[in-house]
């Protein structure tokens, strides 16, 4: 697996530090209302981020998973989101925090936000680990961002290529030959 990585873009140490900071921002943001949350991770890319983040969030919460699959085995052309399954838990009347790995074209998050709003939540906020600012649209509200990254295809820390590399602990860029 290591041999397929061209270089590390963000080390696991930097990720851990930033995830803790994001958790502090989220706690501070919700502090006054002190609500119960429903966290909605978008599967599968956000699972590692979710697992690390929630252990730094001393907030009473439920999880409701949503599943979206995009870009099957591809690194560049954004395909239409393939499937979008209803959240596995309660959304109605709840303060929802949507969690995703990366905001690229914004198509995925736009669709999930629309689906959540249709289920009558009390509020919807969004946290992403990565954002590609060169492409991210302005009409998709994202309140919490871990890192802004260049428009490169990255893997690791939950992010995949053809469902591989999710267990790579850093965020890295694949060697060209791997995707050629
Ligand atoms: P969007 O809908 O914003 O264009 O893309 C979001 C989804 O595409 C992400 O949840 C992720 O699954 C995939 N994606 C976008 N950019 C990358 C990338 O650089 N690396 C990986 N592994 N997936 C990406
Ligand atoms: Mg994804």
């Amino acid at each position: 697996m290591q041999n397929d990585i061209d270089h590390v873009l963000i080390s696991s140490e930097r990720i851990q530090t930033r995830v803790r900071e994001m958790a502090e921002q989220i706690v501070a943001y919700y502090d006054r209302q002190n609500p119960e949350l429903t966290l909605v991770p978008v599967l599968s890319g956000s699972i590692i981020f979710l697992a690390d983040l929630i252990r730094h969030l001393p907030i009473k919460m439920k999880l409701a998973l949503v599943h979206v699959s995009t870009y099957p085995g591809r690194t560049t052309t954004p395909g239409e989101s393939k499937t979008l399954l209803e959240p596995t838990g309660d959304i109605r009347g709840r303060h929802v925090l949507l969690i995703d790995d990366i905001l690229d074209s914004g198509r995925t998050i736009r669709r999930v936000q629309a689906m959540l709003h249709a289920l009558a939540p009390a509020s919807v906020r969004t946290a992403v680990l990565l954002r590609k600012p060169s492409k991210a649209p302005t009409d998709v509200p994202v309140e919490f961002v871990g890192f802004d990254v260049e428009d490169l295809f990255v893997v690791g820390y939950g992010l995949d290529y053809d469902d591989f590399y999710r267990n790579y602990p850093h965020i890295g860029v694949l060697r060209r030959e791997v995707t050629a």
Side-chain angles (χ1 to χ4, degrees):
M1 178 173 71
Q2 256 76 350
N3 296 339
D4 293 347
I5 306 292
D6 186 76
H7 62 277
V8 170
L9 197 67
I10 309 172
S11 70
S12 71
E13 292 75 18
R14 278 183 68 203
I15 299 170
Q16 292 308 322
T17 302
R18 186 67 188 128
V19 168
R20 271 196 299 274
E21 287 171 1
M22 290 181 81
E24 283 167 17
Q25 286 171 9
I26 291 167
V27 169
Y29 179 86
Y30 284 110
D31 190 36
R32 282 197 197 168
Q33 297 164 266
N34 194 26
E36 269 186 32
L37 297 183
T38 294
L39 261 68
V40 178
V42 179
L43 300 181
S44 306
S46 70
I47 56 172
I48 314 275
F49 176 39
L50 173 84
D52 284 344
L53 183 72
I54 63 175
R55 282 178 286 178
H56 297 295
L57 288 178
I59 298 176
K60 197 169 179 188
M61 68 174 68
K62 295 184 178 185
L63 296 182
L65 319 180
V66 294
H67 189 271
V68 185
S69 55
T70 34
Y71 298 5
R74 319 231 316 254
T75 56
T76 44
T77 328
E80 277 298 323
S81 301
K82 285 239 133 179
T83 52
L84 175 56
L85 301 182
E86 292 272 304
T88 58
D90 251 9
I91 301 298
R92 177 173 294 277
R94 300 198 41 96
H95 292 279
V96 169
L97 179 60
L98 174 61
I99 308 285
D100 205 359
D101 51 3
I102 185 164
L103 179 73
D104 185 7
S105 74
R107 194 176 292 148
T108 306
I109 289 179
R110 187 186 285 115
R111 276 187 70 190
V112 178
Q113 286 177 345
M115 177 184 72
L116 292 170
H117 282 296
L119 297 170
S123 67
V124 177
R125 300 291 181 267
T126 301
V128 295
L129 181 68
L130 306 176
R131 174 174 63 188
K132 294 181 181 169
S134 58
K135 291 165 83 186
T138 50
D139 66 317
V140 178
V142 174
E143 287 74 21
F144 308 100
V145 177
F147 299 93
D148 280 325
V149 293
E150 296 168 67
D151 187 14
L152 290 169
F153 191 82
V154 294
V155 296
Y157 197 72
L159 290 127
D160 73 304
Y161 172 67
D162 199 17
D163 244 358
F164 290 113
Y165 311 109
R166 295 195 195 277
N167 58 322
Y168 184 65
H170 314 286
I171 289 171
V173 178
L174 281 178
R175 291 173 52 193
R176 248 172 220 287
E177 302 87 280
V178 177
T179 56

